[in-house]
Amino acid sequence: MKPTLLTLAATATATELLLPLYQFPANNGGAWAPIEAALTANPSLTAKVIINPSNGPGGPNQGIEDPQYAAGTKALAAHANAQLIGCVHTSTDGGQTRCNMPYANITADIRKWATWVDAGVAIRGIFIDEAPANTANDCVNYMRNLTTFIRTDPDLTARFGARPIVVYNPGGTGTLQPYYDLQPDLIVALETCFTVQEHAGGDYDQCSAADVYERYDHDGVGSSIDNVLFPNIGQANAARTAVLVHGFHHFNGPAANLSATDAVLEQLIRGVVQRGVGATFFNTAGYHTFTDGPASIGRVMEVLSAANAA
Ligand SMILES: *[C@@H]1O[C@H](CO)[C@@H](O)[C@H](O)[C@H]1NC(C)=O
Ligand SMILES: *[C@@H]1O[C@H](CO)[C@@H](O)[C@H](O)[C@H]1NC(C)=O
Ligand SMILES: *[C@@H]1O[C@H](CO)[C@@H](O)[C@H](O)[C@H]1NC(C)=O
């Protein structure tokens, strides 16, 4: 029997927040105050927070060596419901070729993230950006090696915790089952924009008018998950999947033409939670500003908490 949404919701675990925090922690982390306030206001919601000073842990005077980053990440990590994960990437050509970053380089970046823990910032695992969405370039072995390294290297488990968090970001669908088989905590298998092309690409927007993207839920609430995501990844992988939606402004065009209102935000987030998706994020603009409504960080965390409790 095909499970109904109701039975799925009853058996699913909570949908976490996966926050790509690509904003600089200006004012000694003061720029992140709205995120800290939302963490405090929603203690039952777990937030995996991606820390990314410079497409990785950062060079000299960056990242943990920058007092502003050190202060900002220390303050965030002090929240019991925040799990900080450090970004690394597998590509040397901006994502064109995946898994061509020399293994020694990417593991050196992962070890560098472990030094943040020695400096007092509780990094709990790794976000692997520019992860593969097909099996070319021996990527399955590369990702298996990396995942095993992160989860079992004693110097890493001593710092990240007994079971370090591992998240892959191919940024979209493709051939993902070989990667789900490696048992990462999450794969970002749908990352897209809500608004129509004609309104994409403003200040701080993550959408570009030149991109071709799945206008999120353009066929109605839950349609991007039901019609694009699940047919590709298989519904059984929902709990290990993250759905990230940015550019929540204006309207999403034919056919449903939903408007970016608070009421629609609630419906869309409920639609994600009811489908048993492991983690999500909605934002009005891109990953560098989190206070613009309607999908401000405070409101998104509040709505997600409520949807989990429903
Ligand atoms: C890999 O690391 C070596 C040694 O630090 C460096 O010279 C090289 O530029 C790095 N390669 C890439 C693609 O980052
Ligand atoms: C994975 O690790 C094995 C064993 O250490 C090694 O032989 C192989 O070359 C690695 N493959 C990739 C793609 O990193
Ligand atoms: C979608 O709705 C907006 C107003 O919310 C309207 O301006 C626009 O013309 C509509 N687009 C379509 C294709 O119906």
Side-chain angles (χ1 to χ4, degrees):
M1 197 182 76
K2 211 175 161 190
T4 64
L5 286 181
L6 219 73
T7 59
L8 276 179
T11 53
T13 49
T15 303
E16 298 181 344
L17 187 84
L18 180 66
L19 169 61
L21 183 53
Y22 296 176
Q23 178 188 38
F24 185 77
N27 306 316
N28 280 316
W32 292 349
I35 293 158
E36 285 205 64
L39 287 164
T40 302
N42 299 283
S44 65
L45 181 64
T46 299
K48 288 184 165 56
V49 185
I50 303 159
I51 306 299
N52 187 17
S54 151
N55 231 343
N61 305 315
Q62 293 179 323
I64 194 64
E65 294 174 28
D66 176 341
Q68 307 218 59
Y69 246 104
T73 49
K74 256 176 219 167
L76 268 190
H79 292 262
N81 55 333
Q83 301 175 336
L84 274 54
I85 54 179
C87 183
V88 300
H89 61 113
T90 80
S91 175
T92 62
D93 54 13
Q96 294 269 342
T97 318
R98 309 288 164 115
C99 318
N100 67 346
M101 178 65 72
Y103 197 69
N105 291 52
I106 194 165
T107 52
D109 269 354
I110 292 167
R111 289 202 187 282
K112 188 155 189 191
W113 278 114
T115 69
W116 288 51
V117 181
D118 298 332
V121 178
I123 298 292
R124 306 279 294 275
I126 297 293
F127 178 80
I128 305 177
D129 205 2
E130 296 166 346
N134 60 51
T135 59
N137 205 21
D138 206 13
C139 272
V140 177
N141 284 323
Y142 185 94
M143 295 300 283
R144 179 184 296 112
N145 284 0
L146 270 187
T147 304
T148 303
F149 172 70
I150 296 163
R151 290 244 174 93
T152 63
D153 182 277
D155 288 336
L156 299 180
T157 55
R159 289 170 176 79
F160 295 155
R163 192 181 173 287
I165 296 163
V166 179
V167 179
Y168 302 163
N169 183 30
T173 52
T175 301
L176 295 179
Q177 190 57 49
Y179 301 106
Y180 281 105
D181 290 344
L182 302 178
Q183 307 282 309
D185 293 87
L186 291 169
I187 297 182
V188 181
L190 183 60
E191 178 183 17
T192 197
C193 182
F194 173 87
T195 195
V196 288
Q197 219 91 34
E198 68 202 89
H199 290 298
D203 275 1
Y204 294 118
D205 214 356
Q206 195 77 20
C207 329
S208 149
D211 288 345
V212 177
Y213 53 83
E214 161 77 5
R215 279 172 286 111
Y216 189 72
D217 276 1
H218 61 88
D219 279 326
V221 175
S223 63
S224 289
I225 295 176
D226 292 341
N227 302 344
V228 177
L229 181 68
F230 283 167
N232 182 265
I233 65 160
Q235 192 168 337
N237 287 317
R240 286 185 187 275
T241 298
V243 171
L244 309 187
V245 182
H246 49 73
F248 187 73
H249 50 79
H250 295 90
F251 42 86
N252 72 350
N257 203 23
L258 301 169
S259 289
T261 62
D262 186 71
V264 168
L265 180 68
E266 281 189 23
Q267 291 170 30
L268 299 192
I269 289 180
R270 236 183 275 134
V272 173
V273 170
Q274 285 170 343
R275 284 163 178 78
V277 169
T280 195
F281 180 61
F282 280 73
N283 198 27
T284 302
Y287 301 151
H288 294 86
T289 182
F290 301 98
T291 47
D292 296 348
S296 65
I297 188 68
R299 187 64 186 139
V300 168
M301 285 184 68
E302 179 178 37
V303 170
L304 183 54
S305 276
N308 279 328

